[in-house]
Amino acid sequence: MSIQDVRDFLLEFKQVATGGSGIDIVPRAGTMSTLAQLGLTKANAEEILLGLSVTDYCKGPAPDRDRPGNVWFFGREIEGHEVYFKLKVTQVGDERISKCISFHVAERPLRYPHR
């Protein structure tokens, strides 16, 4: 994916998040466990996600296996752990929502093509 494509996605994700109800962090067990392990609140997690840049991009977009739309993968080191994020912007009725589907400690090293 080109740097411009990643920039465009991040711009849309951040605009939707800051122009509406924030980021919907899906409360899956792995995400909640990672937040607790790293001592992060939802507000801390949103701050991290809003601070992502093109250099944090790993891969995507890829089809969301559970819902319509595509997901994008990013990663960043937090408290000495490499953490990956699966993000998307989705339409729910008349509202566009920024979603974080996963916020997990990575099981294997991530690749960052734009670093």
Side-chain angles (χ1 to χ4, degrees), residues 28-99:
R28 292 183 175 160
T31 294
M32 302 315 288
S33 172
T34 296
L35 293 177
Q37 175 187 351
L38 299 176
L40 299 173
T41 64
K42 181 180 186 296
N44 299 139
E46 283 191 12
E47 187 177 315
I48 289 165
L49 296 171
L50 290 173
L52 291 173
S53 71
V54 170
T55 59
D56 298 314
Y57 168 79
C58 295
K59 66 180 181 176
D64 184 336
R65 63 180 183 204
D66 298 322
R67 306 245 188 248
N70 292 316
V71 294
W72 294 68
F73 300 80
F74 293 81
R76 178 175 275 184
E77 186 171 314
I78 304 170
E79 299 292 325
H81 299 277
E82 190 171 40
V83 179
Y84 79 89
F85 319 104
K86 288 189 339 190
L87 309 176
K88 74 185 291 186
V89 176
T90 189
Q91 188 80 29
V92 177
D94 293 338
E95 187 179 15
R96 293 188 50 73
I97 299 173
S98 290
K99 292 188 88 137

